[in-house]
Amino acid sequence: MLKHIVMWQFKDEAEGRTKAENCAYVKSLLEALPAKISFIKKLEVGITSWPTPMSADMVLVTEFDSKADLDLYAVHPEHIKVSEYVGKIRVSRLVADYEA
């Protein structure tokens, strides 16, 4: 099993939404992906509850059976839609992938 973890910091305002509104919107987009992408085995999205200057605003934890499935996810049209939106609203992004 492969775990794919992504953390973002978002702009205070972007695309006509506040940071909090964008967090909620992106969370809803991400949580809809497993119904559209069958090879996502598990998906969890968290919005930070106690922000600090060192905090990420949001974290995504996904699980896949293999690196090949992660690679397919990366180019899946539904994932790309979300990724393109996040690219417009983020300040930073960190990723960790590992076998569990």
Side-chain angles (χ1 to χ4, degrees):
M1 174 185 310
L2 179 78
K3 288 204 178 197
H4 172 66
I5 301 171
V6 184
M7 293 184 290
W8 298 277
Q9 288 180 320
F10 295 136
K11 298 173 184 174
D12 290 333
E13 290 189 27
E15 298 298 302
R17 292 183 172 99
T18 66
K19 182 186 290 193
E21 290 168 335
N22 270 320
C23 283
Y25 180 62
V26 170
K27 185 176 193 297
S28 71
L29 294 175
L30 290 168
E31 288 177 340
L33 289 178
K36 300 172 183 179
I37 305 174
S38 63
F39 44 85
I40 296 174
K41 297 303 174 191
K42 184 177 177 184
L43 182 142
E44 179 180 349
V45 180
I47 298 171
T48 195
S49 298
W50 300 278
T52 70
M54 294 175 45
S55 298
D57 295 312
M58 178 178 285
V59 63
L60 168 68
V61 180
T62 48
E63 294 180 4
F64 299 91
D65 283 336
S66 66
K67 173 77 165 68
D69 285 349
L70 174 61
D71 292 343
L72 288 172
Y73 167 75
V75 298
H76 193 284
E78 294 297 328
H79 170 259
I80 289 172
K81 287 179 196 176
V82 179
S83 182
E84 287 175 348
Y85 183 79
V86 171
K88 296 175 186 177
I89 66 167
R90 70 177 165 89
V91 174
S92 65
R93 175 179 177 261
L94 291 171
V95 177
D97 298 316
Y98 63 94
E99 291 187 73

